[in-house]
Amino acid sequence: MSGGPVSCPCHPSCEGPTADCDRTLTTPQRVFKGVRSAQEVVAALPLFDGILPDVLNRLLADSATITRRRSTLLFGAGDEADCFYIVLDGAVKLFALAQDGRESIVEIFGPGTSFAEAAMLSTGRFPLHAEVIEDATLIRVGRRAFLYTLHSDHALAYRMLAALVKWNRRLAGEISDLKELTPWQRVAEFLLAQTPATEGRVEVLLPFNKEVLASRVGIRRESLSRVLGRLRVLGVHTSGNAVQIDDVDLLRRACFEAGSGRN
Amino acid sequence: MSGGPVSCPCHPSCEGPTADCDRTLTTPQRVFKGVRSAQEVVAALPLFDGILPDVLNRLLADSATITRRRSTLLFGAGDEADCFYIVLDGAVKLFALAQDGRESIVEIFGPGTSFAEAAMLSTGRFPLHAEVIEDATLIRVGRRAFLYTLHSDHALAYRMLAALVKWNRRLAGEISDLKELTPWQRVAEFLLAQTPATEGRVEVLLPFNKEVLASRVGIRRESLSRVLGRLRVLGVHTSGNAVQIDDVDLLRRACFEAGSGRN
DNA sequence: CTCCCCCCTTAACCAAGATCAAGTCGCCGC
DNA sequence: GCGGCGACTTGATCTTGGTTAAGGGGGGAG
């Protein structure tokens, strides 16, 4: 029930009206892969699977490819949701902000995923903040185009329904994990989710830094360090963003068998 | 962002193929309120708001009102999802089961809510278990009728989309809470969510027993006792399922101000 | 090369849940 | 009334994550 890499629809996001944090394209080093590639990516989204070519074109006509550096705030909670985003490259985090300034990351989106479609359907406002955490190339799709697309292709609406359900389950699973798994189990699960391998030795690259990972699993940076230290006896070795798992199966079993011990 | 009483769509549920736990209507003392009332309830669901009368009738034609005693398993995770449920009376919990038999409650549904609509849209299987926790009267709506309804009323599909989004946000909010609130804050928030009052003295009735409440907020029964004990100094007094809050505003502010202290 | 900053790690202390184990209270059947 | 059961509470102890503070180490700027 835990978070495998699931293609995630839903969740609000749109560059806030205040486009104050642009620094327009200061890093052309990270070039988006051209319009054709963008089309491919979009058509490959679970949400738009089987979309009609002309509908797709219409959709893309009201969209723009943008690049943003890390630390750029895409939008804040409460901003008007007049578009949604597709990630071509980089990573974006969605997070909530506590009154004291602390943030908790609800989800992180990487290449080939989209987010914030859902915000446009109900309140029209983003419920969460979105920030680029790895220099990113994004497609921003306008609300009008999206709604038009939705209405001109009913099958799309149903796919979106299904996608939301899937995303929903992912969240429900995460809630279960938070409630009944210890922090180290959550970390282990996260690591296991980073590789398709089911046994043997594997090297995985953390898709973001440890601060973010810690927030992702709901603990503090320092605790993550401790956890990774404790996982060493299970054959988990880290250096920087590289994590080597000596025996995937061993780790998974340890994770399961611990089962009971909540805290 | 935390869990106010939200009308919740989504989530799988359907009396499993094995209807072994029926004890058909042994408690006629808890009579459902008649067909007319059932219609009213259904039409009042956010999901079916504004539904056309004949579509509604068609929907109800393939449904049945059932009563189940507490502890009845409605369905298990993995069962075929060939219906969804509307709660007229009582309460149902959706929960996940860990390998060691521990359960964690993902959501609890009371009168006027529906659940498990979503399961029929994707995998066709329930991802969670559902159990009656207070003797309940339910409407079970068949899959066929639901899908028919969905296709004959596109507006319904969009409403459902919106409902899913809303439900989604609720889950995301719960994740935030689990990550950044202490257990006692979650308990306090839960209590506050049980009343519309914003100040003064209030008496709230816990909608279920403490074991369930503990699971709901992700702690153990014993810890909940202690938390409630500690909350006494903030004017929270409990006796049985009745909880008296001396000063709602005080409690809310205490909850907020604690802000930082994550554990 | 050096300084500084950022990311990460370590250590010491503390508060708080989990756990294990009794113990209380109310209810029901007998 | 008695016994038993289920829901709840309390206490002692243990584990663990948060907190605070300090330090290491790599990379970029100057």
Side-chain angles (χ1 to χ4, degrees), chain B residues 23-42:
Chain B
R23 312 185 209 180
T24 35
L25 313 225
T26 43
T27 14
Q29 135 243 25
R30 199 179 269 275
V31 186
F32 57 91
K33 300 132 186 174
V35 169
R36 213 158 54 89
S37 175
Q39 278 195 350
E40 285 168 14
V41 171
V42 175

Side-chain angles (χ1 to χ4, degrees), chain A residues 102 183 219-220 222-223 226 230:
Chain A
R102 261 175 220 239
I219 58 178
R220 308 241 153 270
E222 300 91 327
S223 296
R226 275 194 287 237
R230 219 177 310 164

Side-chain angles (χ1 to χ4, degrees), chain B residues 25 32 38 63-67 88 137-140:
Chain B
L25 313 225
F32 57 91
S63 69
T65 302
I66 62 176
T67 71
L88 292 183
T137 307
L138 310 166
I139 302 179
R140 177 164 56 190

Side-chain angles (χ1 to χ4, degrees), chain A residues 5 10 14 16 55 98 113 129 164 172 176 250 258:
Chain A
C10 166
C14 173
V55 176
T113 61
H129 309 269
L164 272 176
S176 298
L250 174 71

Side-chain angles (χ1 to χ4, degrees), chain B residues 19-255:
Chain B
D20 48 339
C21 41
D22 277 21
R23 312 185 209 180
T24 35
L25 313 225
T26 43
T27 14
Q29 135 243 25
R30 199 179 269 275
V31 186
F32 57 91
K33 300 132 186 174
V35 169
R36 213 158 54 89
S37 175
Q39 278 195 350
E40 285 168 14
V41 171
V42 175
L45 286 177
L47 186 60
F48 295 119
D49 178 52
I51 192 173
L52 301 172
D54 55 335
V55 176
L56 175 60
N57 286 332
R58 169 107 186 201
L59 184 71
L60 290 177
D62 187 21
S63 69
T65 302
I66 62 176
T67 71
R68 293 290 180 273
R69 317 208 65 168
R70 75 181 302 194
S71 297
T72 304
L73 187 70
L74 274 181
F75 54 80
D79 289 350
E80 190 186 353
D82 56 0
C83 65
F84 79 97
Y85 292 89
I86 298 166
V87 182
L88 292 183
D89 194 19
V92 175
K93 72 175 175 189
L94 291 191
F95 62 102
L97 220 45
Q99 54 287 351
D100 66 334
R102 266 179 216 236
E103 63 179 50
S104 80
I105 296 172
V106 171
E107 189 63 13
I108 294 167
F109 296 93
T113 62
S114 59
F115 59 97
E117 312 89 338
M120 300 181 294
L121 291 175
S122 53
T123 56
R125 307 229 160 236
F126 298 122
L128 296 172
H129 309 269
E131 183 184 314
V132 175
I133 54 175
E134 300 292 344
D135 293 0
T137 307
L138 310 166
I139 302 179
R140 177 164 56 190
V141 183
R143 175 195 179 95
R144 304 188 74 99
F146 176 68
L147 291 181
Y148 170 83
T149 305
L150 204 56
H151 281 92
S152 51
D153 185 353
H154 283 137
L156 173 63
Y158 293 109
R159 263 199 308 282
M160 183 154 176
L161 228 28
L164 270 176
V165 171
K166 207 164 152 193
W167 170 234
N168 237 309
R169 292 192 183 174
R170 176 172 170 50
L171 292 181
E174 193 142 332
I175 290 176
S176 298
D177 286 352
L178 285 169
K179 282 190 190 171
E180 63 190 20
L181 263 44
T182 65
W184 76 261
Q185 284 175 304
R186 295 201 294 273
V187 172
E189 274 208 356
F190 178 88
L191 292 178
L192 290 170
Q194 298 308 111
T195 172
T198 164
E199 56 171 9
R201 167 169 312 203
V202 170
E203 174 122 355
V204 306
L205 270 188
L206 297 181
F208 30 73
N209 70 30
K210 306 239 172 101
E211 173 92 49
V212 171
L213 174 54
S215 175
R216 182 65 227 293
V217 296
I219 58 177
R220 308 241 152 268
R221 189 170 63 257
E222 300 92 324
S223 297
L224 176 60
S225 271
R226 278 188 260 269
V227 164
L228 289 175
R230 219 176 311 162
L231 246 34
R232 254 194 289 281
V233 303
L234 287 174
V236 176
H237 304 268
T238 79
S239 72
N241 276 1
V243 179
Q244 175 187 313
I245 306 174
D246 285 346
D247 185 344
V248 172
D249 190 49
L250 173 72
L251 182 59
R252 177 153 21 80
R253 275 184 290 110
C255 210

